[in-house]
């Protein structure tokens, strides 16, 4: 009885933590644009002095960056906003390959190595003019999106317009080359190499990239295939293993040949998903990492994972309607069609983190713009990734020959279900902020997580499927599964968090000042964003220091997230006059500013600053 009560108390504690971390919201306000700092200038040039209708030419964007500042390269590091040319919707112009220069690799705080641009850079764009274009002088307006940073701070992302005058003339008018010195530095059709510091860091990713751009096609495809095989061994592919077992393990009467053929069809479904992705990336130049970072995409994938996990636990079965199954049988059998359909779904589920090799392949495809190469490189990659599933699918039918006594199969399915739902939570942590509050790299959190898992497995009664038990037992099992999922999530996610002291954060400034007035405390406001390297450095090198955390425990610490632009962040920008990040403001409970700090500050300087504030 005592053990049961402890489990219920733990479930209530987890619910309370989530509700506390949800925080309040600030009312929407109408505010003007935030103050800006001029860190960059850009000008456009044409490769010809005039343009004929139906002709192709190049555009060069020459960018000057102010001394002491840099912008993120394209492609950029994780969570960083790349420098990117944006094209208008126009009926006269078409845009092809965009050549971004290689960035200089810097070691940026907790983000690690990331490529950046500084001083000057030139971006090249293949451009075409349609034959239907009017003969006239016109202005093509491109936009440049970038984020300027220096060692101490990052400004907010900014978009500037670049007007380019163009004179469209009749075919009889002579046209000559222009701005030769600028265009001599651009190499269209060649993927720029990313600077690397050591051979060890280059690894297999660098070898694949060099092979793709070096003309050794056979080696490139071989290494891409090997990258797919390695990808199949990464943790993010694990949820697909129980899905594969559930699809093919149910075929008790099928022989090895039929299971092998079903596995091939299943993998072909994954191949189709990724090959289409390769064609899309090649035709649009889209950055795959940005697509998969979209909250809507992550939410959809998480919903799919939760549905599959609940199905494994036995809450419901995912089946096609009987009428649909009957139609499929009439055209050749539901087995092959179902395997192919599940393969396409499996490709989507594995997409967010199918390994660095995929990122390299897609980046190269985006730079070449070759639909043919995009399709076959992705085809080869997924064949490598699919070997594991072909093996699992072929032999999973043998599971039917194993003894069913003892409900061991239900235990396996329940564990797989818990793992899949846990993966969904891990994907959602960057979308649903309260989930971040459950991740701590500390002993006490790991103890709580371990107790949650033990209690969850005990309450969950893994030897039974959900739908086969009475309602009261279903409620108990559901609570147990919930505890086990959150406990597993806390351990997996917590291991990846930086170790050190933790501050108690409030995520709404109005709520924070109310607390400060009630308790008579001073206030520290920390303005941050996930794309701000110096913000991450503050978190990992300053706030995590035991001495700093101990001193700040006497303050009301407010953390305000500026990762995404919104009316709320615009209101906060105006209210606190925030030109860039990070910014730390110390205030009294009445809102009077005691000290304002822009940029990174070390733990030693923070302690000295706190001494100064408390002596006022």
């Amino acid at each position: 009885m005592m053990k049961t009560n402890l489990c219920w108390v733990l479930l209530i504690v987890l619910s309370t933590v989530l509700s506390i971390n949800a925080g309040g919201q600030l009312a929407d306000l109408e505010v003007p644009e935030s103050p800006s700092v001029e860190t960059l200038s850009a000008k456009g040039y044409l490769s010809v002095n005039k343009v004929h209708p139906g002709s192709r030419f190049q555009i060069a964007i020459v960018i000057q960056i102010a001394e002491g500042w840099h912008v993120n390269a394209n492609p950029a590091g994780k969570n960083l906003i790349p420098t990117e040319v944006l094209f208008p919707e126009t009926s006269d112009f078409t845009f092809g390959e965009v050549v971004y220069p290689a960035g200089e690799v810097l070691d940026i705080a907790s983000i690690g190595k990331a490529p950046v641009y500084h001083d000057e850079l030139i971006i090249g764009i293949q451009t075409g003019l349609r034959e239907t274009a009017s003969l006239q002088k016109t202005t093509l307006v491109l936009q440049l999106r970038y984020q300027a940073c220096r060692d101490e701070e990052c400004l907010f992302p900014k978009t500037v317009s670049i007007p380019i005058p163009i004179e469209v003339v009749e075919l009889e008018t002579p046209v000559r080359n222009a701005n030769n010195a600028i265009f001599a530095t651009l190499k269209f059709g060649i993927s720029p190499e990313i600077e690397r510091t050591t051979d060890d860091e280059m690894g297999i990713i660098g070898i694949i990239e060099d092979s793709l751009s070096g003309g050794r096609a056979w080696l490139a495809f071989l290494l891409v295939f090997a990258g797919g095989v390695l990808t199949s061994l990464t943790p993010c592919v694990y949820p697909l293993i129980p899905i594969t077992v559930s699809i093919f393990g149910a075929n008790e009467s099928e022989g090895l040949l039929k299971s092998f053929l079903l596995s091939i069809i299943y993998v072909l479904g994954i191949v189709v998903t990724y090959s289409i992705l390769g064609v899309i990336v090649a035709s649009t130049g889209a950055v795959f990492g940005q697509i998969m970072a979209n909250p809507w995409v992550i939410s959809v994938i998480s919903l799919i994972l939760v549905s599959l996990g609940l199905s494994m636990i036995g809450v419901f079965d995912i089946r096609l309607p009987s009428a649909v199954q009957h139609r499929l049988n009439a055209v050749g059998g539901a087995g092959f069609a179902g395997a192919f359909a599940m393969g396409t779904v499996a490709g989507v589920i594995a997409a967010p983190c199918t390994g660095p090799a995929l990122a390299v392949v897609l980046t190269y495809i985006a730079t070449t713009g070759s639909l043919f190469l995009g399709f076959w490189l992705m085809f080869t990659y997924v064949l490598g990734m699919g070997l594991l599933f072909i093996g699992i699918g072929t032999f999973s039918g043998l599971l039917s020959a194993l003894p069913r006594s003892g409900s061991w199969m239900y235990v396996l399915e329940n564990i797989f279900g818990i793992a899949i739902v846990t993966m969904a939570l891990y994907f959602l942590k960057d979308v649903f902020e309260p989930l971040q509050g459950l991740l701590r790299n500390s002993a006490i959190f790991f103890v709580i997580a371990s107790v949650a898992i033990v209690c969850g497995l005990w309450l969950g009664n893994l030897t039974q499927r959900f739908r086969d038990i009475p309602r009261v037992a279903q409620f108990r099992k559901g609570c147990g599964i919930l505890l086990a999922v959150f406990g597993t999530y806390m351990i997996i996610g917590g291991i990846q968090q930086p170790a050190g002291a933790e501050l108690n954060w409030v995520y709404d400034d109005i709520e924070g000042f109310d607390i400060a007035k009630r308790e008579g405390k001073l206030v520290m406001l920390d303005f941050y964003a996930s794309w701000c390297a110096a913000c991450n450095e503050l978190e990992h090198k300053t706030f995590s220091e035991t001495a700093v955390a101990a001193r700040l425990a006497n303050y009301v610490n407010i953390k305000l997230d500026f990762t995404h632009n919104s009316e709320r962040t615009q209101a906060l920008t105006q209210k606190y006059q925030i030109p860039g990040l990070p910014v730390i403001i110390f205030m009294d409970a009445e809102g009077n500013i005691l000290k304002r700090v822009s940029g990174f500050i070390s733990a030693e300087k923070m302690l000295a600053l706190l001494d100064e504030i408390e002596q006022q």
Side-chain angles (χ1 to χ4, degrees), residues 274-412:
Y274 278 72
S275 297
I276 292 174
L277 174 64
V279 171
I280 292 173
V281 170
S283 60
T284 64
V287 180
F288 183 67
Q290 290 179 319
I291 296 173
M292 296 314 304
N294 186 295
W296 288 103
V297 175
I298 293 175
S299 298
V300 169
I301 292 174
S302 299
L303 180 62
I304 294 173
L305 285 174
V306 169
S307 301
L308 292 170
L310 294 179
S311 175
M312 292 295 296
I313 294 168
V315 177
F316 52 79
D317 284 327
I318 299 178
R319 291 178 179 174
L320 290 173
S322 57
V324 176
Q325 285 202 23
H326 179 74
R327 286 182 175 272
L328 288 174
N329 286 329
V331 295
F336 290 107
F340 181 82
M342 287 305 299
T344 59
V345 173
V348 174
I349 293 171
C353 45
T354 44
L358 177 60
V360 170
V361 175
L362 287 173
T363 299
Y364 179 78
I365 291 171
T367 60
T368 62
S370 170
L371 301 183
F372 179 83
L373 187 62
F375 178 87
W376 287 109
L377 279 175
M378 294 304 299
F379 187 94
T380 304
Y381 174 81
V382 182
L383 281 182
M385 191 176 77
L387 283 183
L388 173 67
F389 303 112
I390 291 174
I392 293 173
T394 300
F395 296 102
S396 59
L398 297 179
L399 291 174
S400 60
L402 297 174
R404 300 279 177 162
S405 59
S407 300
W408 70 272
M409 182 62 75
Y410 291 158
V411 174
L412 188 63

Side-chain angles (χ1 to χ4, degrees), residues 29 55 97 195 203 212 304 346 379 381 388 440 474 571 581:
L29 297 174
S55 65
E97 178 186 7
E195 180 180 335
L212 288 171
I304 294 173
F379 187 94
Y381 174 81
L388 173 67
R440 296 288 187 276
Q474 285 181 349
L581 301 177

Side-chain angles (χ1 to χ4, degrees), residues 17 47 80 122 167 277 343 381 386 418 458 590:
V17 171
S47 60
L80 299 181
I122 302 176
E167 183 178 359
L277 174 64
Y381 174 81
I418 291 171
W458 180 70
E590 302 302 323

Side-chain angles (χ1 to χ4, degrees), residues 20-21 23 433 440 501-517 519-528 539 542-561 568 576 583-589 606 610 613-614:
I20 291 175
N21 280 318
E433 189 173 278
R440 296 288 187 276
E502 290 289 342
L503 294 176
N504 292 321
W505 293 102
V506 178
Y507 294 93
D508 181 81
D509 60 332
I510 295 177
E511 178 186 352
F513 277 103
D514 287 343
I515 296 173
K517 290 175 182 178
E519 300 181 2
K521 291 183 177 182
L522 299 179
V523 176
M524 182 190 75
L525 296 102
D526 173 36
F527 301 83
Y528 82 103
E539 188 70 36
T542 303
F543 294 143
S544 63
E545 283 292 323
T546 304
V548 173
R551 293 286 295 276
L552 290 176
N554 299 318
Y555 291 70
V556 176
N557 302 299
I558 303 172
K559 186 178 283 289
L560 300 174
D561 187 359
R568 179 173 186 262
Y576 296 104
V583 169
I584 301 172
I585 302 177
F586 291 93
M587 308 177 80
D588 61 23
M606 176 65 81
L610 292 174
I613 292 171
E614 293 166 7

Side-chain angles (χ1 to χ4, degrees), residues 42 65 75 93 132 161 176 276 288 298 465 477 525 543 550 585:
I65 302 172
F93 295 92
T132 56
S161 297
R176 59 179 175 79
I276 292 174
F288 183 67
I298 293 175
R465 288 177 63 81
K477 182 179 180 68
L525 296 102
F543 294 143
I585 302 177

